[in-house]
Amino acid sequence: AQSVTQPDIHITVSEGASLELRCNYSYGATPYLFWYVQSPGQGLQLLLKYFSGDTLVQGIKGFEAEFKRSQSSFNLRKPSVHWSDAAEYFCAVGPTRSGGYQKVTFGIGTKLQVIP
Amino acid sequence: EAGVAQSPRYKIIEKRQSVAFWCNPISGHATLYWYQQILGQGPKLLIQFQNNGVVDDSQLPKDRFSAERLKGVDSTLKIQPAKLEDSAVYLCASTTNDRFDEQYFGPGTRLTVT
């Protein structure tokens, strides 16, 4: 069965510093990978996704992620964090189900705190 | 384009009471999901609809939870009777038939069972 591990439950960074959030997945074939962000009291919003092709994926809000098959990882990065980036970040992995319906499994999330 | 709508946003009930949540997906989205997000955890899929048919309800506690999407548009999730461990945020999401499309989430309903 597919699974996602986000080893860091809580991360604190200074504004302007770089950020890397870790995500490891378990899946038997080439996965579909996603990063979502959830601000307090809000639903999840897609930051970026990987299905195939270039392993470095650019997303919204200046985020990027790199798919590394050898390490089963899909880490999220941002070169300079802004205070508005404080939120919870979820990595998700999914195949398509038989018949083509999309289903994903979410990690437990990493809560990002940004300090001035 | 209007997003996924959910109501109510907050609900407090006592255990053994019943509660219902409503979701209206983005227009034209055939697939609708209900997730349960317990504090400190990621969203867990409860049920997935394709139009008005159930695709996956393997993690839905069917003795107390039910969901319907009668006309293939909006959906209702019901809990009867509620338990303390049902306290969570209930998220609704929708997507198109394109398997590469992202899921669009509503703001969620925060349920507190006392």
Side-chain angles (χ1 to χ4, degrees):
Chain A
Q2 66 209 51
S3 65
V4 177
T5 301
Q6 293 183 249
D8 305 306
I9 295 175
H10 191 272
I11 282 183
T12 300
V13 299
S14 299
E15 191 169 15
S18 63
L19 171 70
E20 182 170 33
L21 302 181
R22 295 184 290 166
C23 172
N24 292 95
Y25 67 89
S26 174
Y27 184 61
T30 300
Y32 298 160
L33 295 159
F34 308 81
W35 275 101
Y36 285 84
V37 60
Q38 185 177 35
S39 298
Q42 303 295 316
L44 280 70
Q45 179 187 21
L46 182 74
L47 286 176
L48 46 79
K49 60 187 176 184
Y50 171 79
F51 292 137
S52 64
D54 193 345
T55 57
L56 185 62
V57 181
Q58 301 298 320
I60 63 171
K61 305 184 180 185
F63 285 91
E64 66 177 27
E66 186 171 13
F67 170 59
K68 293 186 177 180
R69 184 188 302 275
S70 61
Q71 299 177 20
S72 297
S73 69
F74 188 57
N75 295 347
L76 182 71
R77 302 193 294 249
K78 186 169 185 178
S80 178
V81 171
H82 188 262
W83 64 266
S84 60
D85 293 324
E88 191 151 21
Y89 293 80
F90 293 92
C91 182
V93 63
T96 54
R97 295 172 55 80
S98 59
Y101 307 133
Q102 191 204 94
K103 177 181 179 180
V104 297
T105 300
F106 288 87
I108 64 170
T110 297
K111 184 165 287 187
L112 173 65
Q113 182 182 8
V114 180
I115 56 177
Chain B
E1 172 181 81
V4 177
Q6 289 188 250
S7 67
R9 292 294 311 276
Y10 305 92
K11 191 73 176 180
I12 301 174
I13 62 172
E14 295 181 352
K15 59 183 179 183
R16 290 187 291 274
Q17 287 186 324
S18 63
V19 64
F21 312 129
W22 175 81
C23 171
N24 193 25
I26 291 174
S27 177
H29 280 193
T31 307
L32 184 148
Y33 310 80
W34 282 102
Y35 290 91
Q36 181 191 57
Q37 186 178 20
I38 294 173
L39 186 64
Q41 299 181 20
K44 182 185 85 171
L45 179 68
L46 292 175
I47 189 167
Q48 178 179 351
F49 291 95
Q50 181 73 13
N51 296 308
N52 60 349
V54 175
V55 173
D56 186 347
D57 63 356
S58 58
Q59 297 193 88
L60 186 75
K62 298 181 185 65
D63 58 333
R64 298 183 301 107
F65 285 65
S66 65
E68 60 183 14
R69 193 184 184 197
L70 291 176
K71 297 182 179 179
V73 180
D74 58 343
S75 175
T76 302
L77 176 69
K78 296 179 182 177
I79 308 175
Q80 181 179 6
K83 293 185 175 181
L84 295 177
E85 58 261 37
D86 298 332
S87 294
V89 175
Y90 290 85
L91 295 166
C92 179
S94 70
T95 190
T96 66
N97 271 334
D98 185 345
R99 62 183 183 177
F100 300 108
D101 196 13
E102 67 183 270
Q103 294 183 27
Y104 295 82
F105 284 82
T109 296
R110 181 176 296 278
L111 173 67
T112 302
V113 182
T114 63

